[in-house]
Amino acid sequence: MKWEELTAPQFVQAIETCGGVCLLPLGVIEKHGEHMPLGTDLFIAREIACRAAAIEPAIVFPPYFFTQIFEARHVPGTIGIESRVMLDLLQATCDEIARNGLKKIILVNAHGGNRYFLPHFIMLQLERPKDYVVYLPTEPAWMADPEFAQGWQERVESQGRDEHAGEMETSLGLALFPHLVDRQAIPAGEGAERGRLKELTQAHIYNAIEWYADFPTHYAGQGEYGTAAKGEFLVDHLVEGLVRIIRLVKQDHHSLELQQEFFRRLAGSSGPGESL
Ligand SMILES: [Zn+2]
């Protein structure tokens, strides 16, 4: 159920059908090696969300790509907006989703560069009272099916880090939008880790230029090993994983209650049982 394709009366009905759950697929616009489209993460997040919502009903938010990507601003096509705008826009978007009656918002993230931004955004949900809950499934939530990790291990052929436009992402692209993937353009060897800050990274000390130090052309992995068949395997498991996540969120009646209790205690004025 794509939000933008529903009529207003259908939208009202859909809130009921979906148990008030909205999927907010999060991508970004950034270079993906030489061979994948700038909107790769957006396309993947949205397609996985739509396929899962077709199995376990949820409303899927329209395309959203204003997320964290400063590390790719030196390469063509990147849209990296100022961090305060990024945070405020995501919060305002969640506020609007909830104002429309969808009180459970699941962030469906397909962009590795959001790995610190989104958990931070989640903690900011306690900054001020609200009548909705934002859920962030992190990697272990998707990998909860042991067959997934094991099945991928059996298929993977590339060596080293497979992170950005590498074997996994290229496979997803070949399964979901093959007409936008240019296999001939995959640069041999360019996705190898440079290790220019390895003394720090091996000691688990992090700074902002670490990613650039390893992958200055914004390509990390060996996309040449990507195939549509591997992509289909990944898509099936990602969709199954998201279906499982949506069901868990639908069953969750505690988070909002606890969140409201927290804000009542914070205000220090009203007793249990009162709503905000
Ligand atoms: Zn990507």
Side-chain angles (χ1 to χ4, degrees), residues 28 30 32 40-41 44 110-112 163-165 169:
V28 80
E30 60 167 336
H32 272 78
T40 288
D41 296 351
I44 293 172
H111 172 47
E163 292 187 25
H164 186 69
E169 211 165 39

Side-chain angles (χ1 to χ4, degrees), residues 6-168:
L6 299 168
T7 63
Q10 286 169 345
F11 183 85
V12 173
Q13 180 58 49
I15 295 170
E16 202 70 34
T17 312
C18 297
V21 172
C22 181
L23 304 181
L24 175 48
L26 297 174
V28 80
I29 302 295
E30 60 167 336
K31 180 185 178 190
H32 272 78
E34 303 291 321
H35 61 290
M36 301 191 78
L38 299 169
T40 288
D41 296 351
L42 178 68
F43 300 145
I44 293 172
R46 202 123 198 280
E47 189 58 31
I48 299 295
C50 288
R51 291 190 190 199
I55 299 168
E56 184 62 44
I59 294 181
V60 180
F61 194 80
Y64 188 102
F65 53 82
F66 293 111
T67 66
Q68 195 297 121
I69 190 54
F70 294 120
E71 67 274 29
R73 277 172 123 189
H74 64 301
V75 288
T78 301
I79 298 179
I81 63 166
E82 201 210 342
S83 58
R84 282 178 191 81
V85 178
M86 192 167 68
L87 274 170
D88 288 350
L89 185 61
L90 188 54
Q91 193 69 69
T93 300
C94 289
D95 286 350
E96 271 303 273
I97 292 171
R99 189 187 62 76
N100 274 285
L102 295 154
K103 305 296 186 187
K104 293 177 171 181
I105 302 168
I106 304 175
L107 305 181
V108 181
N109 178 48
H111 172 47
N114 287 336
R115 67 171 64 90
Y116 304 110
F117 166 56
L118 292 178
H120 175 60
F121 176 75
I122 287 291
M123 287 316 294
L124 296 184
Q125 301 314 296
L126 296 182
E127 192 173 11
R128 59 182 170 83
K130 45 182 63 69
D131 66 348
Y132 64 90
V133 178
V134 185
Y135 299 83
L136 175 65
T138 53
E139 206 172 317
W142 296 97
M143 298 294 176
D145 174 5
E147 273 180 38
F148 186 5
Q150 195 190 326
W152 181 246
Q153 274 315 314
E154 287 164 9
R155 287 167 173 79
V156 75
E157 293 174 87
S158 54
Q159 307 287 319
R161 287 167 72 178
D162 176 28
E163 292 187 25
H164 186 69
E167 182 175 5
M168 185 180 271

